[in-house]
Every structure is written in structure tokens, then in C-alpha cells.
Amino acid sequence: MPTVVNAKSVTRNVGWSVLSKTSTFGLKFVTVPILARILSPEEFGAVAVALTIVQFMAMIAGAGLASALIVQRDEDMQTIHSVFWANLAISCLMALGLFVWAEPVATLLGASDAAYLVRILSLLVPLQLGGDVAYALLARRMQFSKDAFWNMISESAGALAAVLLALAGLGVWALVAQIFLSALIRIAGLFAVSRYVPGFSFSMRKVLGMTRFSLGMMGSEIANFVSFQSPMVIISRFLGLADAGAYSAANRFSSIPNQVVLSAVMGVLFPAFGSMMQDRARRSNALMLSTQVTTVLLAPMMFGLWAIAEPAMMTLFGHQWAYAWPVLGLLALSKGILTPCSTFIPYLKGIGRGGTLFWWAILRAAVTTVAVAYGAYQGSLVEAMVWLCIVNGLVLVGYSYVVFRADGTPFWRGFLLSCRPMFTALVMALVVRLLLVHFGALVPNAALQVVAGALIGGFVYGALLLVTERRLLRRLLELARKPAAVAAAEPAE
């Protein structure tokens, strides 16, 4: 790897990435409810189904080649140019195929009315993959501050444009404009800060030489994508676009904490774990520390949202979405259950366990799809979300076993340490939920119930954290105070 990686550099880059996500958090926190109040559930559902198809095609077209670039020892320009042209050619063919076959694909997913959106959004496939090589170069160099800046600009501009266009009465086109504007600004920024200029050079031999790693990554990414996106397809197919829209709106809002923390952390940890591949002690220490920290940050957000889901849905989304508050709560609960797994994918990718990641991802995708389909087949969106929570509980245990076995850490020790902040957050959420059930009538305003629940939850969680995670908090304090030179020289515990 071209950049020296240590606890200080990882912490700094995670900080930059989290800062970029946090800067757009407030904007998304406002824009998603605004759009939900202006647009109908059917409009949300149509865009969500079309975008799911496009994202799946973009994942296949990329074939994991950019991920393979990140872990290459040297920056060989012929290899880099070859990956760029291969990505572009494959993505253009995928986009053309999707454009031509948009109607039968949309019909297959129970969203024939969204075929025109599939055609339009097919243009996103080459647009999204066009910047993959530039991003891979930034990731290799651990220059996440530059990516963070352009991510903030692109997401903010897209969100603002969507709100303005929705207010102007453009309906579903507001969401389409948001997607394209964000993608265009991001790709322009990535090329500018990476200083990458595609050269007219191509070597099929070098592209094929990377496929052993890239195809394994692509397979696991596709399986993970199916795990995350299959509920949308199933709901659209069995329950219709209105329920798909309710799921999409609730999912977009409940995913904001994940977008703030996980998308930032995972991008940094993949190259970081890759640099520690041969040093088991360092990578094991980094795995446990990063898992505990992400769980400490994410678990209270997700379980807290479950606790206040009913007044939050009423306050943020309005009366037309009030019926969907159990969906918001159950989605938050299902994501909260998986918070200890946040670092597992970049860990397995970074240490070269693509086969393990692939087979586990396949199993997870199959079980998730079957369980949600069973719940939807019973005729209830809420029941489908209940089954999603049950599956995620099983995934937590199974995923932890797979990762800690690969790491050589005793299962119960690793599982309890990584999950302890999650259990603490669950206790906090139960306290808030019980207080709202028994005393919520004393605060008749839904917005005030949200504020009261958040304040009480923050106080309870903070107090519990001081009792249960003193050692972790001391470790983070030491890292914050330690000079970079010392952090680079000091061996991991």
C-alpha cells in the first residue's frame, strides 16, 4: 500500500468521512420528510423499484475491478487505465440492455408503471461506474478528506434540488433530478481531486489478472445487495407500489444514521485491514476497536428511533404516512440488531477472505429473501418487517461466528465484547418506550414526545455507557491525545 496505515491515520480518515456524512445528515433529516409530505407513496415506490434495478446492474457491471485496484501493491498506470476502459465498456452495454428490456424487467418486479423510470435511470450505470477508478486511487492513498468534501457537495446539491423541484410540482421528477445531479457532481469532483486522466492504454491480460479477486468481491457484493434490496422487490411484487413507497420512505429515513457512520467507516477500513493482512495482532485489535466504536455510535440511534417511531412518523412525515409508523420502528430495530456487524464486510475483504464472505453473503441473501417473502405472502407489510428482524438476529450470531473464527478470536469473548454496546442501547430504548407508553399522554404533542424521548434516551444511554464501557472510552481518549508519530510506532494491543 502506498500510504502508511496506523491507528491515527485510520481514525483521522474515518473522522473526515464521518464529517462529510454528518454535514449532509441534517439536510437529509429535513428533506426526506419534506419530500414524503409532497410526494405520494406510489411515487416513492416507483423510483425506489427503478433505482434498485439500476443499482443492481451497476454492481454487476463493475465486477469488483475497482476494489481490486485498492489492494494492488503499486499504482501501475496501464492497469488503472485498463480497469477504467473495461468498466466503461461493460457499464455502457449493461445500460443499453436495461434500456431495451426495461418494460419486461419492471413488469417482472410488479412495477410495470415504473418502466419509463427504469429507462431513464439506466443512464446512471456508466455515470456511477465512471468515477470508480478515481475513487479507488483516493482510497489507496487514504485521501478520504478529498472524497468527503465532494460527497458533501454532491449530496447537498441533490437534496436541495429535489425539494425545490417537488415544491414546484414536478412530482417524481424531483427524485430523478436529485439522483442525476448528485452523481454528476460527484464524478466531476472525484476526477478533479484524484488528478486522474484516462489514458488510451488497455491490457486485457492485466484486467483478467485482477478477476480472481474482483469476481469474488462482486459475488459477495451482489449477495449483500440482494439481502438489502430484496425486501423492496418482494414488497412491490406482493403488496403493490403503495406499500413499496411506505417501505422506501421509512427505509430512507431509518438508513440516515447508517449513511453517516457506516458508509464512512467501511470505505476507510477496507484498505486499512488490507494493509494489516499479515499482522494478526494489529488487525484483530483494529477489528474489535472499530466494531465497538461503530456499535456505540449506531446502536443508540437505531434502537432510539424504534422507541419513538410512532410520534416521529407523525411529526416528520405527516398524516398520510401515519399508518406506516410500525414499519419505521421495525426497520430501525432490524438495523440496530446488525450494528455489531458493521465492520465485518471490510474486514473479510481486507484480509483476503473473499470466499468466506461470498458463501456467507449467499446464505444471508437466501434466508432474508425467503423470510420477507413469507411475511409479505401472509398479506402484511408489518409481518414482513417482523420476519426481517428475526432473520437479522440470526445473521448477527452467524456473522459473528464466521468473522471471529477467521480472526482467531474466541467466539463468546468477541461476541459479548462487540455486542455489549448494542445491549446497552436496547435497555435504553426499552426504558424510553415504556415511559412513552405509560406517560406519553402527559405530552400530547407528537413533536414534544420526540424531543422528550431523545433527551431521556441520551441521558440514560450516557449513564449506562459510563458504567459498561469505561475501558473503551479510556482507549479512545488515549488515541485522541496521542501524537501521530507515537501512534505509528506503537504496536497494537
Side-chain angles (χ1 to χ4, degrees):
M1 298 293 288
T3 303
V4 176
V5 179
N6 51 59
K8 194 74 175 181
S9 67
V10 171
T11 303
R12 181 178 64 251
N13 280 288
V14 168
W16 272 111
S17 295
V18 171
L19 177 62
S20 77
K21 303 299 180 182
T22 305
S23 65
T24 59
F25 172 81
L27 188 60
K28 285 189 174 183
F29 187 87
V30 174
T31 55
V32 171
I34 289 176
L35 291 172
R37 287 174 177 269
I38 298 172
L39 305 176
S40 69
E42 289 80 6
E43 288 174 321
F44 256 95
V47 173
V49 171
L51 189 59
T52 298
I53 299 169
V54 170
Q55 289 174 336
F56 181 73
M57 299 301 289
M59 183 174 298
I60 296 176
L65 291 174
S67 295
L69 274 183
I70 295 176
V71 297
Q72 292 291 301
R73 184 174 297 276
D74 302 308
E75 286 190 12
D76 175 61
M77 292 311 298
Q78 187 180 34
T79 302
I80 293 170
H81 296 326
S82 299
V83 170
F84 174 81
W85 293 115
N87 269 359
L88 186 62
I90 296 171
S91 63
C92 286
L93 288 174
M94 288 285 189
L96 179 61
L98 189 57
F99 185 89
V100 172
W101 296 96
E103 189 166 341
V105 170
T107 301
L108 180 65
L109 299 179
S112 56
D113 292 342
Y116 73 101
L117 289 173
V118 174
R119 287 196 176 92
I120 294 169
L121 293 179
S122 67
L123 299 174
L124 276 176
V125 179
L127 193 58
Q128 288 183 342
L129 286 177
D132 273 8
V133 168
Y135 173 79
L137 294 176
L138 293 179
R140 283 180 55 85
R141 302 163 188 167
M142 297 295 283
Q143 294 177 344
F144 289 93
S145 61
K146 296 179 179 180
D147 172 63
F149 174 79
W150 282 102
N151 182 70
M152 176 182 65
I153 296 296
S154 64
E155 291 290 338
S156 300
L160 287 174
V163 171
L164 292 176
L165 293 174
L167 289 172
L170 293 183
V172 73
W173 299 108
L175 296 175
V176 174
Q178 176 185 15
I179 295 166
F180 274 100
L181 182 60
S182 295
L184 285 168
I185 294 175
R186 179 164 171 74
I187 192 174
L190 285 174
F191 276 102
V193 296
S194 68
R195 299 185 183 278
Y196 172 64
V197 179
F200 294 100
S201 175
F202 182 81
S203 169
M204 180 60 73
R205 178 179 61 83
K206 293 196 173 184
V207 171
L208 292 176
M210 302 174 72
T211 55
R212 181 178 179 183
F213 177 89
S214 66
L215 289 178
M217 290 300 100
M218 182 187 71
S220 61
E221 290 292 340
I222 289 174
N224 283 318
F225 182 86
V226 171
S227 296
F228 296 132
Q229 299 296 336
S230 61
M232 169 60 66
V233 176
I234 290 167
I235 292 165
S236 171
R237 180 71 180 173
F238 285 99
L239 303 176
L241 283 180
D243 275 352
Y247 171 83
S248 175
N251 191 48
R252 287 182 69 169
F253 187 77
S254 63
S255 294
I256 290 175
N258 282 348
Q259 292 173 353
V260 172
V261 178
L262 286 192
S263 56
V265 170
M266 291 177 72
V268 177
L269 289 182
F270 171 36
F273 283 132
S275 71
M276 303 174 191
M277 187 181 300
Q278 305 304 324
D279 191 337
R280 185 204 167 272
R282 285 183 67 210
R283 75 170 194 254
S284 183
N285 184 65
L287 170 65
M288 187 55 63
L289 179 62
S290 59
T291 301
Q292 287 179 297
V293 170
T294 53
T295 306
V296 164
L297 292 174
L298 277 175
M301 298 183 196
M302 305 317 305
F303 286 117
L305 181 56
W306 166 77
I308 60 172
E310 186 172 6
M313 199 74 180
M314 183 67 69
T315 301
L316 298 171
F317 289 79
H319 290 281
Q320 69 168 331
W321 298 88
Y323 72 96
W325 78 262
V327 179
L328 175 62
L330 289 168
L331 275 171
L333 184 60
S334 70
K335 296 175 192 298
I337 292 170
L338 288 181
T339 48
C341 303
S342 304
T343 60
F344 291 173
I345 291 176
Y347 177 77
L348 291 174
K349 288 172 64 176
I351 66 171
R353 295 294 186 94
T356 301
L357 181 61
F358 172 75
W359 288 112
W360 175 252
I362 289 290
L363 177 62
R364 178 186 175 188
V367 174
T368 300
T369 302
V370 170
V372 174
Y374 176 78
Y377 183 74
Q378 299 301 309
S380 168
L381 178 57
V382 171
E383 191 165 348
M385 296 300 97
V386 170
W387 276 102
L388 181 61
C389 291
I390 294 171
V391 167
N392 283 355
L394 298 174
V395 167
L396 169 63
V397 177
Y399 221 160
S400 299
Y401 176 78
V402 168
V403 169
F404 291 130
R405 182 180 180 184
D407 184 60
T409 299
F411 169 70
W412 284 112
R413 174 181 175 273
F415 183 76
L416 293 176
L417 280 176
S418 61
C419 292
R420 189 168 58 198
M422 182 192 72
F423 296 138
T424 302
L426 179 58
V427 171
M428 173 273 295
L430 289 171
V431 170
V432 173
R433 185 71 180 165
L434 288 172
L435 288 175
L436 284 177
V437 168
H438 292 288
F439 303 104
L442 300 177
V443 187
N445 185 281
L448 291 179
Q449 287 182 0
V450 171
V451 173
L455 291 175
I456 294 171
F459 175 79
V460 172
Y461 185 68
L464 292 174
L465 208 61
L466 289 174
V467 175
T468 60
E469 300 295 342
R470 288 194 300 271
R471 186 174 180 180
L472 174 63
L473 295 175
R474 281 198 300 268
R475 173 65 174 148
L476 293 177
L477 218 60
E478 290 170 6
L479 279 176
R481 292 173 176 173
K482 196 174 298 180
V486 176
E490 183 185 70
E493 296 178 1

